[in-house]
Amino acid sequence: MPLSVLSAFLVFISITAFTPGPNNILAMSAGIQRGFRGSLPILAGICCGFFGVMLLCCLLVTSLSVLSERFVSVMKYAGCLYIAFLAWKVAFARPAEGEQQARAGFWAGCILQFVNIKVIIYGMTAYSGFILPYDDSALTLIAAMCVLTLFGSAGTVAWALAGSLLQRFFRAHARLVNAVMGVLLLACIVPLLFG
């Protein structure tokens, strides 16, 4: 991969990983409600699911020349429904629900990845635009999965850490913060439906 393409690739994955999206907003909400340590189950789920989606994106892009329009449509609407469900859960969460949510956190984070259009597009774009045109060896594809997962996970961990560091402020204004987080999650749906 030429250096100019590598630098564009790194900029793309950095911006995509650290900008608001369902993963980052959910991680911040978990950090606010449970602190960084309490958000570890959902972060682990996000990371595991993220790696799984990167593997699936790699397989899809390398095996299909054109992705079915129907598949994209189904995934888009399934993702919108799941993100709306998470927005509702976050917006109306009570601090006392934190421990119960922590037990279910891994699976919520993991499942989100498979309907999170931002993550799917992130993987599909990285493979089809930056990686495969220059190298399609197994070693490169495995390294790409690891790098994409590492960057995506770093963004999510940063948002959870920010939530936990600002926990005292956010807890003092819990209803408002939860409502804003819920609205931000809903805002993630708008470009999927109308973009």
Side-chain angles (χ1 to χ4, degrees):
M1 178 183 304
L3 187 57
S4 61
V5 174
L6 178 62
S7 61
F9 170 69
L10 292 174
V11 168
F12 165 73
I13 64 175
S14 296
I15 289 172
T16 306
F18 287 91
T19 55
N23 286 348
N24 294 342
I25 293 169
L26 188 62
M28 181 178 231
S29 176
I32 292 167
Q33 291 184 2
R34 299 175 233 153
F36 186 74
R37 183 177 284 181
S39 68
L40 290 177
I42 202 159
L43 293 175
I46 289 171
C47 294
C48 289
F50 201 101
F51 185 79
V53 170
M54 291 305 104
L55 175 62
L56 289 175
C57 287
C58 178
L59 294 173
L60 283 172
V61 171
T62 57
S63 64
L64 301 173
S65 59
V66 176
L67 191 61
S68 163
E69 187 68 35
R70 184 179 174 113
F71 174 77
V72 172
S73 181
V74 167
M75 288 306 296
K76 177 174 80 171
Y77 292 114
C80 289
L81 287 173
Y82 190 69
I83 292 168
F85 168 75
L86 288 176
W88 180 76
K89 292 286 281 180
V90 167
F92 297 104
R94 287 180 259 161
E97 295 173 346
E99 187 159 326
Q100 184 181 23
Q101 289 175 356
R103 281 188 291 241
F106 177 88
W107 292 110
C110 189
I111 291 167
L112 173 63
Q113 303 322 293
F114 292 92
V115 296
N116 185 343
I117 297 299
K118 181 182 176 188
V119 170
I120 293 168
I121 291 172
Y122 168 84
M124 300 294 264
T125 302
Y127 285 112
S128 63
F130 293 103
I131 298 162
L132 289 173
Y134 302 97
D135 191 352
D136 63 353
S137 69
L139 183 60
T140 297
L141 296 176
I142 291 169
M145 276 187 276
C146 293
V147 168
L148 291 168
T149 302
L150 179 68
F151 271 74
S153 299
T156 304
V157 168
W159 279 69
L161 187 58
S164 68
L165 291 174
L166 299 171
Q167 190 176 39
R168 179 175 283 161
F169 170 79
F170 288 142
R171 281 194 174 168
H173 307 286
R175 287 189 187 269
L176 176 63
V177 169
N178 288 346
V180 168
M181 292 294 153
V183 168
L184 287 173
L185 273 172
L186 284 176
C188 294
I189 295 172
V190 172
L192 300 179
L193 293 176
F194 305 108

